[in-house]
Amino acid sequence: MKSKLLVALLGIGLLVAVAAPAQAAVTPHATTYTMYVTLYGALDNDPPGTAAIAYPQIHSQAGGVGTYSNPVTFATSKSELAPGTKVYYAYLKKYFIMEDSCAACISDWNSGKRHIDLWAGNSTNSAIIACENKLTRSGSVIVNPASNLAVDTTPIFNTSSHVCYSP
């Protein structure tokens, strides 16, 4: 009798286990923060003159065009945003992905200040520094953004013409 009851209970348990809904994958929610947003390029990268990055995710070196599927590299503290985190910066109408480290960002994060450093381009022309300075400001940054936001794929710094993007 006990064995029939055990078989029945196991059968019910199996039915319950089979009937239980599958757990949905957790999708991070978009969050908007005010951040100090700076820019860097090959001229002021570490090591200087390169597009080397610390945490390759989808690029082997800093790059990207700013779309959701090909975001531009950005740097910050790993404690602030994990490598692979996507953000959207409406001021530049571009998506970015965390793929690099930034010493000033780490220091700022440790002091309680949000700071990201966006890749401006693979150029060692000194005009890129003026472009970086022109576009540096505090602004709203969406972390884990939707994939359908407005995008402008104009390069931040055109490495051929040395022209800085003007939002």
Side-chain angles (χ1 to χ4, degrees), residues 40 53-59 71-87 95-102 106 116-117:
Y40 74 112
I53 54 178
Y55 316 113
Q57 299 295 306
I58 62 172
H59 304 110
V72 177
T73 299
F74 81 89
T76 193
S77 166
K78 284 192 315 186
S79 298
E80 181 173 8
L81 295 170
T85 301
K86 286 185 182 178
V87 301
Y95 289 92
F96 296 85
I97 186 168
M98 205 301 226
E99 295 185 303
D100 208 356
S101 183
C102 163
I106 293 167
I116 60 174
D117 202 20

Side-chain angles (χ1 to χ4, degrees), residues 71-142:
V72 177
T73 299
F74 81 89
T76 193
S77 166
K78 284 192 315 186
S79 298
E80 181 173 8
L81 295 170
T85 301
K86 286 185 182 178
V87 301
Y88 178 80
Y89 188 37
Y91 176 65
L92 297 179
K93 293 188 178 89
K94 294 183 188 318
Y95 289 92
F96 296 85
I97 186 168
M98 205 301 226
E99 295 185 303
D100 208 356
S101 183
C102 163
C105 303
I106 293 167
S107 178
D108 282 347
W109 178 249
N110 290 338
S111 299
K113 182 178 180 181
R114 293 186 174 279
H115 178 178
I116 60 174
D117 202 20
L118 311 176
W119 180 252
N122 193 4
S123 176
T124 56
N125 183 284
S126 61
I128 196 169
I129 300 297
C131 180
E132 294 168 14
N133 293 337
K134 171 188 163 192
L135 299 174
T136 291
R137 64 193 63 230
S138 289
S140 294
V141 176
I142 303 170

